[in-house]
Amino acid sequence: MSDTTLAPAPGGAERPRTRDLRLAVIGLGLRATLARQAHRPGEGSRVVAAVDTAPAMFPRAREWFGDDVRLYGGHRELLEAEELDAVFVITPDHTHEQLATELLRAGVAVFVEKPLAITTEGCDRVLEAAREGGARLYVGHNMRHMPVVRTMRELIQRGEIGEVKAVWCRHFVGHGGDFYFKDWHADRRNTTGLLLQKGAHDLDVIHWLAGAYTERVTALGGLTLYGDIADRSGQAPGTVMPDWYDPENNWPPLANTGLNPVVDVEDLSMVVMRLQGGVHASYQQCHYTPDYWRNYTVIGTEGRLENFGDHGESAEVRVWNRRSREGYRAEADLVVPMPSRGDEEGGHGGSDPLLVAEFLRFVSEGGATDTSPVAAREAVAAGVAATESLRDGGTPVTVSRLAPELARWFADGQG
């Protein structure tokens, strides 16, 4: 944790000055921009080291963090050489479990990009490592900081639609070909499946809005489009998605080329869930729609709400909670527009900077956070169960529960 030194103040008095948190980042791919936002030398935090197994990525670290950033090819070298307050783990999903457990057992606070792991058991091992090491664990579920999600939750909490009984989510993944089928995401060995990898966000939001975790699921889906594309040439080592992303020419989706050599994750999936307390939910995900956004509908005992757009100036949340005997009524009883801020303010509707700020505060001070390692585990558990059901023809699957004593340890603020 950060320590305190004394610095001269006007008039010769001394005042306390807290040194910058010493940070490292493992993985210099697309989401490593989170660590870039945490690099604030002289303002509380500094990235002093970076790790990547591909040396071709090192120039990014020097550009972002300065020529004096120390570079390593592996996390064990990092731990042996550096005294760190916290580490950002921004690596392919299947590596999260091992990296997080070793760092936490070494007593280093860890930010793990979602999903926490690609199996339920892997999540549980990470949570147990946090307890064993006494180190703070934080999971990067940035959608809990998105204005549209926070607005829906606030409306629910103040009783605008009564008691929540159902949550529906439709996720239109318009650039799925470029985003998820041209690199490691397309191989289920790295992700389990996109119901987990991509769906972890939405499953967590469904749980947060409903105030309950998933108990039982059934799912259907398949590889319905990208499996028909023969070009599996993949992408050059050391490149990241913006290097090959082509929003203008890859339409219709079958026009995509350069898919990952292994493509065995589903591009269309539909899940029905029973949550604790009798809440029901559904989640649909399609990776070849012409638009790219999420639509949540929440139905309560006294009304319903729905978002139109999920970030940007045009996004808003609409509430219908007055009795209407006519048919479709576009005019809502309450409309809440989203604030005018976008990706230029840090990504994902401005949620990424809020996520990073909460993590840094948590490392320094502890206390409550809007994200939750236990909730992150429950999103993975629901995604794993749904994937199992889908691949078994829709057989219902019961979601395994976290050990109560471990859940209590996190509920008590991680010690």
Side-chain angles (χ1 to χ4, degrees):
M1 296 303 137
S2 58
D3 57 13
T4 300
T5 60
L6 291 177
E14 291 184 326
R15 58 177 171 79
R17 180 182 65 194
T18 303
R19 70 162 171 84
D20 287 347
L21 292 171
R22 293 170 57 82
L23 310 175
V25 55
I26 302 177
L28 292 166
L30 181 65
R31 291 293 285 161
T33 51
L34 292 168
R36 185 181 186 182
Q37 292 179 29
H39 184 58
R40 297 288 183 266
E43 299 178 16
S45 56
R46 177 190 302 265
V47 176
V48 299
V51 177
D52 204 289
T53 56
M57 303 300 286
F58 287 162
R60 298 187 94 200
R62 295 190 183 97
E63 176 189 351
W64 291 351
F65 311 126
D67 291 335
D68 59 345
V69 66
R70 291 176 290 281
L71 304 171
Y72 301 94
H75 68 285
R76 295 192 179 100
E77 299 172 55
L78 173 78
L79 284 173
E80 289 173 1
E82 300 286 345
E83 292 289 335
L84 299 167
D85 295 300
V87 176
F88 285 84
V89 175
I90 316 287
T91 55
D93 297 356
H94 68 288
T95 68
H96 290 180
E97 178 188 343
Q98 180 182 0
L99 290 170
T101 53
E102 292 192 28
L103 291 164
L104 290 164
R105 287 188 177 124
V108 180
V110 176
F111 176 110
V112 183
E113 174 63 339
K114 70 85 204 164
L116 178 57
I118 65 169
T119 66
T120 306
E121 297 79 9
C123 289
D124 292 350
R125 286 189 283 269
V126 175
L127 297 180
E128 184 58 46
R131 182 168 66 169
E132 290 175 2
R136 290 173 176 158
L137 170 63
Y138 187 95
V139 188
H141 277 280
N142 60 350
M143 285 191 66
R144 290 196 175 208
H145 291 282
M146 284 182 67
V148 69
V149 172
R150 297 181 74 86
T151 297
M152 288 189 289
R153 188 165 187 269
E154 289 165 5
L155 290 168
I156 292 167
Q157 288 185 318
R158 78 186 196 196
E160 291 290 345
I161 62 170
E163 181 184 354
V164 173
K165 291 295 185 181
V167 185
W168 304 337
C169 176
R170 299 178 298 162
H171 194 173
F172 312 106
V173 191
H175 303 306
D178 275 317
F179 283 16
Y180 298 103
F181 288 86
K182 297 185 179 180
D183 64 2
W184 57 268
H185 294 84
D187 187 336
R188 65 175 64 175
R189 293 172 297 181
N190 300 326
T191 61
T192 293
L194 296 177
L195 260 179
L196 192 164
Q197 203 290 326
K198 185 65 171 166
H201 273 316
D202 297 303
L203 294 168
D204 180 59
V205 170
I206 289 170
H207 292 164
W208 207 37
L209 296 179
Y213 296 133
T214 300
E215 292 182 330
R216 195 161 172 82
V217 302
T218 183
L220 294 171
L223 181 58
T224 61
L225 185 143
Y226 292 108
D228 296 333
I229 296 176
D231 186 342
R232 304 291 177 85
S233 54
Q235 305 301 317
T239 58
V240 292
M241 186 271 293
D243 297 326
W244 65 75
Y245 174 49
D246 187 354
E248 301 300 326
N249 296 318
N250 290 337
W251 187 264
L254 285 170
N256 274 279
T257 58
L259 267 63
N260 194 60
V262 177
V263 177
D264 62 0
V265 294
E266 293 79 14
D267 53 24
L268 179 68
S269 52
M270 305 177 185
V271 186
V272 178
M273 298 168 275
R274 187 187 71 215
L275 279 57
Q276 298 163 321
V279 179
H280 291 78
S282 65
Y283 176 53
Q284 296 85 43
Q285 182 189 94
C286 181
H287 284 262
Y288 46 88
T289 58
D291 46 353
Y292 191 3
W293 65 294
R294 297 167 167 93
N295 169 255
Y296 295 97
T297 298
V298 186
I299 302 174
T301 55
E302 299 175 20
R304 72 176 177 93
L305 59 79
E306 189 171 352
N307 69 293
F308 291 81
D310 52 18
H311 65 273
E313 295 182 15
S314 62
E316 61 186 23
V317 176
R318 302 179 193 172
V319 179
W320 289 265
N321 55 11
R322 297 177 185 172
R323 185 67 179 267
S324 173
R325 294 186 180 276
E326 66 261 27
Y328 173 69
R329 176 164 61 95
E331 298 78 16
D333 300 309
L334 173 64
V335 178
V336 183
M338 294 304 98
S340 177
R341 62 186 186 191
D343 285 353
E344 68 277 3
E345 295 187 26
H348 295 89
S351 65
D352 282 354
L354 298 173
L355 185 79
V356 170
E358 183 174 72
F359 171 63
L360 296 176
R361 190 269 301 161
F362 181 57
V363 172
S364 296
E365 305 171 10
T369 58
D370 283 331
T371 65
S372 161
V374 171
R377 182 265 189 203
E378 294 295 342
V380 169
V384 167
T387 303
E388 180 183 342
S389 173
L390 185 156
R391 292 175 184 167
D392 194 32
T395 300
V397 176
T398 299
V399 178
S400 65
R401 292 270 73 87
L402 181 64
E405 65 275 12
L406 193 51
R408 282 194 298 270
W409 188 81
F410 280 93
D412 291 340
Q414 301 192 35

